């Protein structure tokens, strides 16, 4: 990969963990009282949001009104009995949820989230930001002094610019290829987040079957004709297609680079790369 490199991909995963914060002048100095007050406030918000989400999901799965119509049953008596049974089961489910999703369990969940956030900030935030933080516990709750907020906002903006640079550069490269080869496979060759369902080599032809959209079950078959595999990190079946790059082959044809995630390249690195040369590429859609 020349644009969407492993190093770039790893970097954007780390950068994505750094988000904007709320500015508050009270965060400029260490204050146990401010931290405790902020923690209690965030905890209350967490509990209210979690409870609302749980009840919203319950309401969608178990509507208050019995959804069946009387016409679906042989008699009014059968309908009444079915409705009573539905409401009984619904009430039992609700009791179970209220037992499991209580204040103690939600507070424990919030504490776990907070500890993860605190660890992440201490381990991953840039030194130039952390050096000016009066209390990292407050930053873990999403609040910083106005000065630290400026540093974080500036870092986030620079991060976004850095992460978008390969997309802009590759878009210019692809536009030039499309100008030189109108009507080729290049325009349709983009399969971000597709999953490789099957890979097959038929002599000098490589076939990849992709599931592009699970909701619509959209499948795509890629046929790389007169193909030479230059590099393939492990097996690709089951891997997520991340980014692709297309180049003109040195001796004609095409050179294709693809970055995959969750391939069995090795246990310590879920990223894998496929590099191949092909005389042509055929895209077949169901």
């Amino acid at each position: 990969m020349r644009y969407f490199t492993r190093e770039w991909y790893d970097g954007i995963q780390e950068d994505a963990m750094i988000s904007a914060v709320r500015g508050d002048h009270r965060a400029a100095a260490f204050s146990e009282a401010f931290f405790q007050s902020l923690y209690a406030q965030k905890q209350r918000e967490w509990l209210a949001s979690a409870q609302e989400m749980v009840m919203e999901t319950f309401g969608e799965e178990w509507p208050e009104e019995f959804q069946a119509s009387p016409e679906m049953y042989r008699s009014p008596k059968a309908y009444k009995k079915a409705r009573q049974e539905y409401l009984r089961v619904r009430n039992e489910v609700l009791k179970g949820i209220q037992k499991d999703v209580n204040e103690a369990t939600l507070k424990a969940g919030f504490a776990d989230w907070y500890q993860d956030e605190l660890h992440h900030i201490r381990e991953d935030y840039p030194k130039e930001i952390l050096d000016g933080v009066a209390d990292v516990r407050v930053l873990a709750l999403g609040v910083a002094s106005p000065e630290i907020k400026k540093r974080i906002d500036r870092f986030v903006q620079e991060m976004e610019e850095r992460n978008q640079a390969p997309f802009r550069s590759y878009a210019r490269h692809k536009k030039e290829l499309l100008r030189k080869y109108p009507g080729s496979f290049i325009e349709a060759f983009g399969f971000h987040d597709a999953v490789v369902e099957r890979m097959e080599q038929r002599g000098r032809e490589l076939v990849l079957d992709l599931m592009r959209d699970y909701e619509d079950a959209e499948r795509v078959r890629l046929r790389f004709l007169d193909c030479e595999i230059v590099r393939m990190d492990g097996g690709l079946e089951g891997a997520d297609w991340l980014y692709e790059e297309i180049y003109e082959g040195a001796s004609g044809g095409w050179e294709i680079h693809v970055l995959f995630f969750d391939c069995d390249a090795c246990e310590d690195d879920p990223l894998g790369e496929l590099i191949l040369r092909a005389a042509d590429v055929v895209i077949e859609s169901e």
Side-chain angles (χ1 to χ4, degrees):
M1 305 296 286
R2 304 174 192 175
Y3 295 91
F4 308 113
T5 65
R6 289 167 176 260
E7 295 75 19
W8 166 81
Y9 184 80
D10 287 339
I12 64 173
Q13 305 313 304
E14 295 177 4
D15 290 345
M17 299 295 288
I18 299 178
S19 55
V21 296
R22 175 171 66 84
D24 191 312
H25 69 276
R26 291 172 293 180
F30 183 90
S31 169
E32 185 66 25
F34 178 57
F35 165 70
Q36 293 294 341
S37 172
L38 184 61
Y39 187 94
Q41 174 193 335
K42 293 291 184 180
Q43 186 183 70
R44 287 193 299 271
E45 293 172 357
W46 172 284
L47 266 62
S49 176
Q51 289 169 336
E52 181 180 349
M53 188 179 303
V54 168
M55 293 310 298
E56 183 177 324
T57 302
F58 170 74
E60 292 172 355
E61 296 178 355
W62 292 88
E64 189 171 353
E65 293 296 325
F66 187 44
Q67 298 297 299
S69 64
E71 290 75 18
M72 296 174 63
Y73 294 87
R74 289 174 296 180
S75 67
K77 184 178 180 180
Y79 171 77
K80 182 178 180 181
K81 184 177 180 180
R83 182 177 180 276
Q84 289 173 339
E85 178 63 13
Y86 170 81
L87 294 176
R88 183 191 68 79
V89 175
R90 181 182 187 275
N91 191 50
E92 290 299 318
V93 173
L94 180 58
K95 287 180 180 178
I97 290 175
Q98 291 171 337
K99 179 180 178 181
D100 295 336
V101 187
N102 52 49
E103 184 172 317
T105 58
L106 292 177
K107 283 184 176 180
F110 176 77
D112 289 342
W113 168 84
Y114 171 71
Q115 289 300 323
D116 289 343
E117 194 69 11
L118 192 61
H119 175 77
H120 153 61
I121 287 175
R122 285 171 169 161
E123 292 293 320
D124 300 329
Y125 267 50
K127 187 175 184 297
E128 59 268 26
I129 291 177
L130 290 180
D131 281 349
V133 175
D135 189 348
V136 71
R137 300 176 303 167
V138 171
L139 182 58
L141 292 169
V143 177
S145 68
E147 176 56 34
I148 295 301
K149 174 176 167 52
K150 287 181 183 178
R151 295 186 196 179
I152 292 176
D153 290 347
R154 183 166 58 247
F155 179 85
V156 170
Q157 184 177 359
E158 292 171 353
M159 168 194 75
E160 291 174 350
E161 286 293 319
R162 182 174 65 251
N163 293 343
Q164 288 300 313
F167 291 103
R168 291 192 293 268
S169 298
Y170 182 69
R172 289 193 293 269
H173 166 77
K174 186 175 180 179
K175 184 177 180 180
E176 179 61 19
L177 287 179
L178 287 169
R179 186 188 65 79
K180 293 175 67 175
Y181 302 99
S184 68
F185 73 95
I186 297 172
E187 180 68 39
F189 197 83
F191 305 101
H192 182 65
D193 281 347
V195 176
V196 181
E197 290 194 316
R198 190 176 70 92
M199 178 181 71
E200 180 184 357
Q201 287 184 270
R202 305 170 178 171
R204 293 279 294 177
E205 180 177 332
L206 175 67
V207 178
L208 295 181
D209 288 336
L210 309 181
M211 173 68 83
R212 196 170 190 176
D213 187 330
Y214 275 99
E215 187 172 326
D216 297 328
E218 180 187 354
R219 287 182 166 85
V220 177
R221 170 165 290 182
L222 304 181
R223 296 171 52 214
F224 300 95
L225 309 182
D226 193 17
C227 173
E228 173 195 357
I229 296 177
V230 179
R231 170 179 176 176
M232 184 166 62
D233 296 333
L236 299 180
E237 291 185 356
D240 297 321
W241 181 300
L242 293 178
Y243 301 101
E244 65 283 323
E245 299 173 0
I246 307 171
Y247 303 96
E248 296 174 273
S251 303
W254 304 97
E255 183 169 303
I256 311 292
H257 296 211
V258 184
L259 186 66
F260 290 95
F261 181 81
D262 205 23
C263 63
D264 58 1
C266 69
E267 293 182 359
D268 298 328
D269 185 0
L271 294 177
E273 191 170 345
L274 171 68
I275 300 177
L276 58 83
R277 300 187 182 105
D280 201 0
V281 179
V282 178
I283 303 174
E284 300 173 351
S285 299
E286 287 189 355

